[in-house]
């Protein structure tokens, strides 16, 4: 056992004495020591209840013969950090989470880990730590929030962001907005649509590193607590059998996860996080593979923000297991992969419910013939850009637009809310990538403002930054190389014609090669926006979005 290095032999007498100081018994130190990595805090609604989840995990660990030790990580609420300086720290916190877990686990010699998580960067940060440490691991999330209700209609957080644009346009009063914001988020859990948090929790299930139901069982359901206890018990079985993350999260498992991603219309942020987790295991795949999988995978679900259904609805009709069972009918999944349940995927899907045909469409009658995400390439994005094609209006799938160029999110938001953006234009926001931001902010405020003002079918937004999973419309992000690395976005000028061809997977600016070279020859990059502290260090070593914004 890994823990023997902190508890066995005469030379570890002082360590044992410290365990006894906390009330542990000598008999307990003969058992496996299980780290319960809890991201509970009082600033994220998805995490406000995680102490209850962790207590059930610990009960399960103890019941199955292990000794649980709980410790915490940080967590940032993307919704609260959105639209201001604080969002620069969100993506960068992913590395802090992975590094802090690594530090705690190596220092204290745990034998296994249960990751109690829920929201945007915390889930991938913990998955990266799990992959890096390669100890028996299982993930249990806090579950999705239920949808809210406003004037008889189901709503969620994305609608609140869009309502800001509606107020600016005069389609909603400030009094109505206040009533709306009190109704949209009815309680604990990760925000109710297929945004980044729920996307990543569904990915843990698709990867096999979490038990069935982890991605979709609502936060307030008793089943969530039972799932936590089962996870605590199951980790002891993984310890006994020596099942580690590298045996679960294989190349085939990542392809399965990408296939599920395409079928349920996940956040574009999964294309940042899955490569980062895979990288920790030495698994490489390029963005062309995303298009390959997307082309062969029908989109079966149309969940908020792309459609009217919510994660609670997906759960009600069988959740991720039912989605995977439907995909398996077209031989789109590798069924031989292992899972933390102790069964391979084939065995799990034999007992999974059938797709209902409405929330989860049948493969013979999908919502859309291709997957929810596409990677675009061209002279504006030589190393790729990402779009949630499943949430793009048909009118914007193939267009030519006039560029409006901004060097920060704030500049663009001011122009949008000031009615300075017109139909037929592309809002280009640069110097917001991993290095240039630094931190690659999500830009839900400008995208939702465009949608709220009714421009999402007439205006595109193109950036080296990224978008919230709550974004809909022709929002193209992760443009790589980013402007701060002298990517082509840095030379785009006001009035240039941008060519978007989502079916053709192309993103170009209409310029002759000679003109492009001349502009690069005159290019002068701006000074770094932050010159001290964590983000300054982060900017020096972070990679482009095309590589998952990993630290190099």
């Amino acid at each position: 056992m890994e823990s023997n290095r902190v508890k066995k032999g005469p030379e570890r007498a002082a360590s044992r004495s410290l365990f006894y100081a906390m009330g542990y018994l000598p008999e307990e130190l003969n058992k496996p020591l299980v780290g319960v990595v809890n991201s509970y805090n009082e600033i994220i609604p998805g995490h406000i209840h995680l102490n209850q989840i962790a207590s059930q995990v610990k009960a399960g660990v103890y019941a199955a013969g292990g000794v649980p030790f709980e410790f915490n990580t940080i967590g940032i609420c993307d919704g609260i950090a959105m639209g201001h300086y604080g969002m620069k720290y969100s993506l960068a916190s992913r590395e802090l989470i992975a590094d802090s877990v690594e530090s705690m686990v190596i220092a204290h010699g745990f034998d296994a880990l249960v990751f109690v998580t829920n929201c945007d960067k915390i889930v991938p940060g913990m998955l990266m730590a799990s992959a890096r440490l390669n100890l028996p691991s299982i993930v249990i999330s806090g579950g999705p929030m239920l949808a809210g209700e406003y004037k008889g209609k189901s709503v969620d957080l994305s609608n609140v962001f869009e309502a800001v644009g509606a107020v600016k346009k005069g389609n909603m009063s400030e009094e109505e907005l206040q009533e709306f914001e009190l109704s949209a988020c009815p309680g604990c859990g990760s925000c109710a649509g297929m945004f980044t948090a729920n996307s990543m929790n569904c990915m843990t299930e698709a990867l096999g590193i979490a038990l069935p139901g982890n991605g979709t069982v609502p936060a307030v359901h008793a089943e969530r607590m039972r799932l936590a206890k089962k996870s605590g018990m199951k980790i002891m079985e993984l310890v006994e059998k020596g099942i580690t993350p590298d045996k679960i999260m294989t190349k085939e498992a990542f392809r399965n996860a990408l296939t599920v991603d395409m079928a349920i219309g996940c956040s574009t942020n999964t294309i940042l996080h899955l490569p980062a987790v895979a990288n920790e295991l030495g698994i490489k795949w390029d963005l062309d593979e995303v298009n390959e999988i997307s082309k062969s995978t029908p989109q079966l679900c149309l969940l908020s923000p792309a459609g009217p259904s919510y994660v609670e609805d997906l759960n009600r009709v069988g959740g991720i297991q039912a989605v995977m069972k439907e995909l398996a009918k077209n031989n789109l999944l590798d069924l031989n992969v292992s899972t933390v349940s102790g069964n391979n995927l084939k065995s799990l899907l034999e007992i999974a419910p059938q797709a209902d045909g409405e929330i989860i469409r049948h493969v013979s009658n999908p919502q859309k013939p291709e997957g929810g995400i596409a990677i675009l390439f061209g002279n504006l994005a030589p190393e790729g850009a990402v779009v949630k094609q499943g949430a793009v209006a048909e009118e914007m799938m193939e267009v030519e637009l006039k560029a409006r160029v901004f060097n920060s999110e704030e500049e663009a938001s001011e122009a949008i809310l000031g009615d300075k953006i017109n139909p037929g234009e592309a809002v280009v926001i640069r110097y917001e990538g991993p290095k240039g931001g630094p931190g690659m902010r999500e830009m839900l405020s400008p995208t939702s403002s465009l949608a709220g003002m009714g421009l999402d079918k007439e205006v595109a937004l193109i950036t080296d930054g990224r978008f919230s999973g709550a974004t809909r419309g022709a929002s193209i992000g992760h443009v790589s190389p980013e402007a701060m690395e002298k990517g082509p976005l840095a030379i785009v000028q006001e009035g240039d014609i941008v060519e978007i061809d989502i079916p053709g997977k192309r993103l170009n600016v209409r310029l002759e090669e000679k003109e492009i070279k001349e502009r690069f020859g005159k290019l002068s990059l701006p000074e770094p926006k932050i010159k001290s502290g964590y983000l300054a260090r982060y900017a020096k070593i972070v990679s482009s979005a095309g590589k998952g914004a990993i630290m190099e």
Side-chain angles (χ1 to χ4, degrees):
M1 287 193 292
E2 282 288 321
S3 60
N4 284 348
R5 59 189 168 87
V6 300
K7 67 185 185 183
K8 290 293 184 182
E11 66 278 9
R12 297 278 80 86
S15 296
R16 290 193 296 274
S17 185
L18 292 170
F19 279 107
Y20 301 149
M22 294 181 282
Y24 293 99
L25 300 170
E27 295 88 341
E28 290 179 299
L29 295 191
N30 292 324
K31 299 177 179 181
L33 308 186
V34 178
V36 178
V37 189
N38 187 2
S39 53
Y40 162 81
N41 63 43
E42 295 182 344
I43 193 68
I44 309 179
H47 292 235
I48 191 73
H49 64 305
L50 291 190
N51 277 350
Q52 294 174 284
I53 300 288
S55 69
Q56 294 297 321
V57 168
K58 290 188 288 185
V61 170
Y62 214 89
V67 183
F69 293 79
E70 183 180 348
F71 65 91
N72 291 87
T73 71
I74 64 167
I76 288 175
C77 179
D78 279 20
I80 295 174
M82 193 75 66
H84 60 87
Y85 183 88
M87 180 48 75
K88 293 177 182 289
Y89 285 85
S90 176
L91 179 60
S93 73
R94 186 186 72 179
E95 320 312 306
L96 287 176
I97 291 164
D99 291 350
S100 66
V101 174
E102 175 192 352
S103 301
M104 286 292 291
V105 171
I106 297 298
H108 299 107
F110 294 113
D111 296 303
L113 300 165
V114 182
F115 293 93
V116 181
T117 183
N118 216 23
C119 289
D120 296 40
K121 300 319 149 309
I122 301 94
V123 179
M126 288 190 174
L127 284 172
M128 289 167 66
S130 169
R132 186 184 304 173
L133 293 162
N134 207 33
L135 294 169
S137 299
I138 193 167
V139 175
I140 173 69
S141 79
M145 184 186 293
L146 297 177
E149 185 176 325
Y150 179 71
K151 293 185 176 180
K153 293 184 178 180
S154 295
V155 295
D156 60 29
L157 185 68
S158 66
N159 302 119
V160 182
F161 277 97
E162 292 181 8
V164 175
V167 171
K168 293 291 182 182
K169 197 71 174 176
N171 296 331
M172 177 183 279
S173 69
E174 290 191 20
E175 290 74 22
E176 287 175 312
L177 177 61
Q178 185 175 16
E179 183 183 350
F180 196 177
E181 67 193 52
L182 285 167
S183 306
C185 298
C188 66
S190 46
C191 297
M194 192 52 74
F195 313 144
T196 305
N198 289 326
S199 295
M200 287 308 301
N201 283 325
C202 289
M203 290 299 94
T204 66
E205 197 175 328
L207 281 167
I209 199 71
L211 293 176
N214 186 62
T216 60
V217 172
V220 295
H221 285 195
E223 186 183 352
R224 175 60 56 181
M225 295 300 168
R226 295 195 296 271
L227 193 61
K229 191 175 290 185
K230 285 180 185 176
S231 297
M233 297 174 74
K234 186 61 67 172
I235 193 65
M236 298 312 300
E237 184 180 316
L238 300 180
V239 171
E240 182 182 346
K241 294 180 179 179
I243 298 175
T244 47
D246 63 339
K247 296 180 176 67
I248 302 288
M249 295 192 290
T250 59
K251 174 72 172 179
E252 294 74 21
F254 278 100
R255 285 188 65 89
N256 281 352
L258 280 168
T259 302
V260 173
D261 185 330
M262 299 304 159
I264 62 177
C266 285
S267 163
T268 52
N269 282 316
T270 58
I271 308 303
L272 273 179
H273 300 319
L274 289 176
V277 178
N279 178 70
E280 297 287 351
L281 291 159
I283 297 171
K284 305 293 183 184
W285 46 272
D286 59 42
L287 292 177
D288 282 316
E289 201 165 342
V290 177
N291 280 341
E292 172 206 330
I293 292 172
S294 181
K295 188 174 182 179
S296 62
T297 306
Q299 185 171 346
L300 305 181
C301 304
L302 213 57
L303 304 166
S304 176
S309 301
Y310 297 87
V311 179
E312 64 190 84
D313 300 315
L314 177 59
N315 182 70
R316 178 167 41 80
V317 296
I320 297 304
Q321 298 299 302
V323 171
M324 296 180 87
K325 186 165 188 166
E326 189 64 24
L327 291 170
K329 292 177 181 178
N330 268 22
N331 299 315
L332 294 171
L333 299 174
D334 187 321
L335 302 183
N336 295 314
V337 295
S338 299
T339 73
V340 292
S341 70
N343 299 310
N344 66 11
L345 183 58
K346 181 179 180 181
S347 298
L348 285 181
L349 297 188
E350 286 173 355
I351 59 173
Q354 296 285 352
D356 70 315
E358 184 178 350
I359 305 298
I360 305 171
R361 290 277 191 93
H362 299 300
V363 289
S364 59
N365 180 37
Q367 294 282 3
K368 300 193 176 183
E370 290 191 11
I373 292 176
I375 310 299
L376 311 182
F377 296 94
N379 68 4
L380 198 51
E383 295 176 8
V386 182
V387 63
K388 192 172 184 175
Q389 65 177 353
V392 177
E394 194 62 36
E395 300 94 314
M396 297 297 291
M397 295 295 282
E398 191 172 353
V399 291
E400 295 181 358
L401 305 169
K402 186 178 293 185
R404 299 293 307 281
V405 183
F406 304 93
N407 290 335
S408 71
E409 178 186 358
E410 287 83 359
E411 289 179 21
S413 291
E414 183 180 348
I416 292 167
L417 294 175
D419 279 329
K420 296 177 181 177
I421 302 300
N422 304 303
E425 294 180 339
V427 177
V428 175
I429 307 177
R430 60 192 179 195
Y431 300 115
E432 288 287 5
K435 289 182 184 293
M440 201 182 183
R441 286 190 284 184
E442 284 187 348
M443 298 186 191
L444 181 55
S445 294
T447 59
S448 56
S449 294
L450 287 171
M453 297 169 76
L455 291 172
D456 56 304
K457 295 181 180 180
E458 300 173 295
V459 172
L461 198 153
I462 302 168
T463 181
D464 52 9
R466 62 195 178 92
F467 301 112
S468 165
T471 293
R472 61 185 173 93
S475 301
I476 300 169
H478 306 196
V479 174
S480 298
E482 63 173 289
M484 201 63 174
E485 288 191 317
K486 294 188 175 181
L489 211 61
I491 63 164
V492 176
Q493 296 177 2
E494 284 275 326
D496 285 347
I497 300 300
V498 176
E499 301 168 340
I500 299 171
D501 179 4
I502 294 176
K505 310 297 185 286
R506 305 299 296 171
L507 179 65
N508 288 302
V509 58
R510 191 185 294 164
L511 293 174
E512 297 291 335
E513 190 62 34
K514 180 182 177 182
E515 173 69 11
I516 291 174
K517 287 181 179 179
E518 287 178 358
R519 289 190 188 185
F520 271 122
K522 299 174 184 177
L523 177 63
S524 179
L525 294 177
E527 285 287 307
K529 295 174 185 174
I530 295 178
K531 299 180 181 179
S532 63
Y534 172 57
L535 283 182
R537 298 194 302 275
Y538 176 84
K540 290 178 181 177
I541 56 176
V542 69
S543 77
S544 72
K547 297 179 181 177
I550 59 173
M551 304 288 251
E552 292 187 314

